[in-house]
Amino acid sequence: MVIQQDEFETIANTTVIESLLNTLIETGGVTLCLASADARPEPIVLMEQHLKQTLVMDLSSVDYLLHHLQGGTAFYLRGQAQGKVVKTPFLHLTETRHAGGRFLCCSDYPATLDVLQRRDSFRAELRMGMVVTAVLGSGEAQAAGELKDLSQDGCQLELPLAASGLLAESSSPLKLAFTFPDGTYFEVLGCARHQQADAERHLLRVGFNFVECSAEQERQIWYFVCEIEREAARYKKEQPGDRQPSPLFTMPSKRTGAEELLGRRDIQRYATPMARRLVKVAAYLDTQLLALQQGSDINGRQLSRYADRILELHEEDREALLFASRCLFPEPLVVRHGIAVAIHLLDFVGGSMPRDLRKAIVASGLIHDLGKALVPQVLFKAPHFEASHREAISEHVQLLLDRLNNCQWLAPAIVQAVIGGINERMDGSGYPDGLSGNDLNELAKASAVVDVVEAMRRDRADRPAKTAQQIYRHLLHHPHQFDMRWIKRYIEHFKGLPVGSLALFSSQQQGWILRIDAKGNPTEVLLAPQAEPPMRDNVGTVVRDGIVERLGRSVGEVAVST
């Protein structure tokens, strides 16, 4: 159903609304505006949607508005999605949570969305002190200046008068290159539409229309527009420090390796919004692998930061995080294994533990296998593990423990149980110390179960990936190696068809299990035409209602290495 309303179209189709909101979540370019005449749009983060129920937002950057919002003040959200400006009707906050220094808030779900094709009214102006370098042209035919304003359709640059010659000589679109204060670099093609000379200052103001923009470029431009608006709003307040600065306008001391590696990843390829947020953790671990090989210790500050990140995501939506750990196939095996172990161990044993212990468990799980970067890599490609191979590989535990000098905040008992004990076995056949039975504490026994389950879910040189049922049978048939109590607890906690399993249904359709009920029955399934690791381009729609009616009953699991 589409209802005409002034220049906007009001969309009431549930599927279209869900699709547009998903695009807003993925791009991150959303602004919030209070229902008052003098209110300004404020950039926020739209995190998740629960169809027909609620929207989840991070309002940490606008915490000074919370007293209005919690008092019942209405607001609307605005953003760029699928080539349109999208605006919600007035919404109200329904819940606010303060977790890890962040304000996570829920609102009612919009019954409609207003969409507008015309976008030139959304032009963000850079104020004094906001310097974005702009370079027009390429090669020897270049002119350098500054960006003055930006919209989804184009921009205005301030250039030296000499640039008029470059503009006159060009009959085709010119390359425009922008560099923001934080080092972010962006290129786009543009055609000059108007220019105005300032003879006294020897400057030229030139307006450009962008041409041949890809969908990714459009998403980036909208993000830049929102961040410019955010930064400009800080300058209009009497006390600029009240508002969080835009990261685009924060001068970095030096870009970290994790940021550089993150920039090389095509984040949009990952299957879910939660998986795309986990990619930052993967980039950190990937960087840490390289640093270890170059002789560095574990970066304790960064490890603390990303352990906190996992805790926050788990508090936000544990099942979405469990599934996201299956969606990191492009990452190195040791990276995605560490993330999966950390998340599942947290979910398995975290419970009512104090936060500092849960954080130490997550951190230890993330890095427990990174020492493998310090042993000969040819060992992991051997078709059969000989005794000499196993002995050499076992050295990775101590090699990692020797690199924790900058992690004094980590509880030694947790480190010893998770990193030191995850490869030990009840009968003393494990490593590095050959501990057995009562010499192993409970966390070490639980960690061993989680580690083996996660390892067996992935292909290895000597065997293919296994299903949950096959792994459970293996564990139950090896009570001499694994604590039977923890095996049974694991099966009871994660169920026979865990979140992240690729299920086969009686209709012969396949789907990834996103959520289950207390009995282990699927309540949300992501359809999967192929038995491949879940990525954005190989998954279908989400089925939430009438799963048995639409798909039939689950008849088994398909083994896929994730």
Side-chain angles (χ1 to χ4, degrees):
M1 179 181 179
V2 179
I3 307 169
Q4 191 69 30
Q5 177 184 311
D6 300 328
E7 294 179 320
F8 281 89
E9 288 181 331
T10 299
I11 305 297
N13 182 289
T14 303
T15 303
V16 176
I17 291 173
E18 181 182 22
S19 175
L20 289 169
L21 289 175
N22 270 336
T23 303
L24 294 177
I25 290 167
E26 291 163 10
T27 60
V30 183
T31 56
L32 176 150
C33 191
L34 297 180
S36 59
D38 58 346
R40 283 184 51 86
E42 305 282 358
I44 64 158
V45 178
L46 181 60
M47 302 177 70
E48 301 283 351
Q49 65 167 315
H50 298 278
L51 189 61
K52 298 183 181 180
Q53 297 179 30
T54 189
L55 297 180
V56 182
M57 298 160 283
D58 185 341
L59 302 187
S60 304
S61 63
V62 292
D63 54 1
Y64 44 86
L65 296 180
L66 283 175
H67 67 286
H68 294 294
L69 297 170
Q70 291 172 323
T73 301
F75 65 93
Y76 65 86
L77 303 179
R78 188 194 78 194
Q80 167 73 17
Q82 302 173 13
K84 305 176 180 69
V85 170
V86 177
K87 187 173 73 171
T88 71
F90 285 121
L91 306 172
H92 295 85
L93 284 195
T94 57
E95 182 183 354
T96 301
R97 284 191 295 137
H98 189 205
R102 298 163 61 227
F103 289 95
L104 304 180
C105 302
C106 296
S107 76
D108 45 329
Y109 194 88
T112 62
L113 289 178
D114 293 336
V115 299
L116 177 67
Q117 291 285 356
R118 181 172 56 82
R119 298 170 294 196
D120 54 2
S121 60
F122 298 94
R123 182 173 293 274
E125 295 183 9
L126 286 86
R127 298 177 63 82
M128 185 177 296
M130 297 170 59
V131 179
V132 176
T133 302
V135 176
L136 174 67
S138 58
E140 296 182 359
Q142 282 188 356
E146 290 184 16
L147 178 67
K148 288 302 175 183
D149 62 43
L150 181 68
S151 75
Q152 193 68 35
D153 288 332
C155 66
Q156 187 170 194
L157 304 185
E158 190 172 77
L159 299 164
L161 275 177
S164 58
L166 176 60
L167 293 168
E169 294 170 3
S170 177
S171 58
S172 57
L174 291 165
K175 183 175 80 172
L176 308 176
F178 307 124
T179 303
F180 289 83
D182 76 330
T184 296
Y185 179 81
F186 177 72
E187 288 183 1
V188 66
L189 293 177
C191 291
R193 293 304 184 198
H194 60 80
Q195 50 186 289
Q196 180 179 357
D198 183 341
E200 291 185 5
R201 300 171 59 213
H202 300 283
L203 294 174
L204 192 66
R205 284 266 185 146
V206 186
F208 291 88
N209 277 1
F210 297 141
V211 297
E212 301 175 20
C213 286
S214 66
E216 177 59 28
Q217 284 177 309
E218 288 190 347
R219 283 193 289 267
Q220 288 181 278
I221 291 169
W222 183 252
Y223 169 71
F224 297 151
V225 168
C226 291
E227 291 303 307
I228 290 171
E229 285 184 339
R230 176 200 287 196
E231 187 69 10
R234 296 179 64 233
Y235 286 80
K236 289 189 175 182
K237 284 184 66 71
E238 294 180 3
Q239 296 179 321
D242 288 351
R243 301 194 182 206
Q244 295 294 324
S246 163
L248 285 176
F249 293 88
T250 302
M251 295 290 289
S253 55
K254 184 178 180 180
R255 260 196 146 177
T256 66
E259 289 170 335
E260 291 173 1
L261 284 173
L262 181 62
R264 299 172 195 167
R265 288 165 161 80
D266 184 359
I267 296 178
Q268 297 305 317
R269 291 182 58 208
Y270 293 78
T272 67
M274 185 68 81
R276 292 189 275 278
R277 293 158 73 184
L278 265 187
V279 173
K280 291 184 178 181
V281 183
Y284 156 68
L285 291 176
D286 203 356
T287 303
Q288 191 65 79
L289 278 172
L290 297 175
L292 287 172
Q293 291 173 330
Q294 294 168 2
S296 298
D297 288 346
I298 293 290
N299 185 323
R301 181 178 298 178
Q302 291 291 312
L303 178 60
S304 173
R305 172 185 175 187
Y306 289 108
D308 281 330
R309 181 66 169 158
I310 294 290
L311 289 178
E312 291 164 3
L313 295 177
H314 186 264
E315 291 167 2
E316 179 185 320
D317 191 335
R318 58 172 289 272
E319 287 183 302
L321 184 62
L322 288 169
F323 179 67
S325 71
R326 304 286 181 224
C327 302
L328 302 177
F329 190 72
E331 305 301 332
L333 175 59
V334 69
V335 168
R336 62 183 193 266
H337 176 69
I339 291 174
V341 166
I343 291 170
H344 284 77
L345 190 57
L346 168 67
D347 196 74
F348 186 30
V349 304
S352 58
M353 281 186 180
R355 193 178 194 281
D356 60 332
L357 295 185
R358 287 186 287 125
K359 179 176 177 179
I361 287 172
V362 169
S364 298
L366 286 174
I367 65 173
H368 80 277
D369 259 357
L370 295 192
K372 289 181 177 178
L374 304 175
V375 300
Q377 298 304 291
V378 68
L379 297 173
F380 302 103
K381 300 178 182 179
H384 303 287
F385 282 149
E386 307 293 342
S388 58
H389 293 166
R390 186 173 180 278
E391 182 178 352
I393 289 177
S394 70
E395 295 177 3
H396 77 84
V397 178
Q398 190 57 50
L399 289 171
L400 178 66
L401 292 174
D402 291 341
R403 301 292 187 91
L404 298 182
N405 299 311
N406 297 323
C407 302
Q408 300 302 319
W409 57 271
L410 270 177
I414 302 294
V415 170
Q416 190 54 48
V418 178
I419 298 176
I422 202 167
N423 296 292
E424 299 286 5
R425 298 292 178 260
M426 294 291 290
D427 60 0
S429 63
Y431 66 84
D433 298 319
L435 301 178
S436 63
N438 294 332
D439 293 330
L440 294 169
N441 71 23
E442 295 303 307
L443 181 55
K445 295 173 185 177
S447 299
V449 173
V450 172
D451 183 60
V452 167
V453 173
E454 292 307 313
M456 294 185 71
R457 277 198 166 277
R458 297 174 176 85
D459 289 337
R460 202 170 70 179
D462 60 336
R463 54 140 184 85
K466 305 293 185 184
T467 66
Q469 290 297 320
Q470 290 171 328
I471 297 169
Y472 293 164
R473 282 195 294 271
H474 171 83
L475 291 170
L476 292 169
H477 289 161
H478 290 78
H480 55 291
Q481 290 188 321
F482 304 98
D483 189 296
M484 188 60 64
R485 294 170 304 152
W486 283 109
I487 296 172
K488 292 179 179 178
R489 290 175 189 172
Y490 186 98
I491 297 171
E492 174 60 27
H493 183 81
F494 290 108
K495 309 302 181 186
L497 199 60
V499 170
S501 304
L502 180 59
L504 177 64
F505 294 88
S506 57
S507 64
Q508 296 305 302
Q509 296 183 79
Q510 298 175 153
W512 293 99
I513 304 300
L514 299 182
R515 300 184 190 278
I516 57 178
D517 62 21
K519 295 181 179 180
N521 299 312
T523 59
E524 194 168 303
V525 175
L526 177 63
L527 297 182
Q530 295 90 30
E532 300 173 343
M535 299 296 290
R536 187 172 182 178
D537 59 1
N538 66 10
V539 295
T541 57
V542 175
V543 178
R544 295 185 177 88
D545 301 314
I547 289 176
V548 174
E549 292 78 8
R550 294 180 60 180
L551 304 178
R553 298 197 174 277
S554 57
V555 296
E557 181 185 353
V558 180
V560 178
S561 181
T562 56

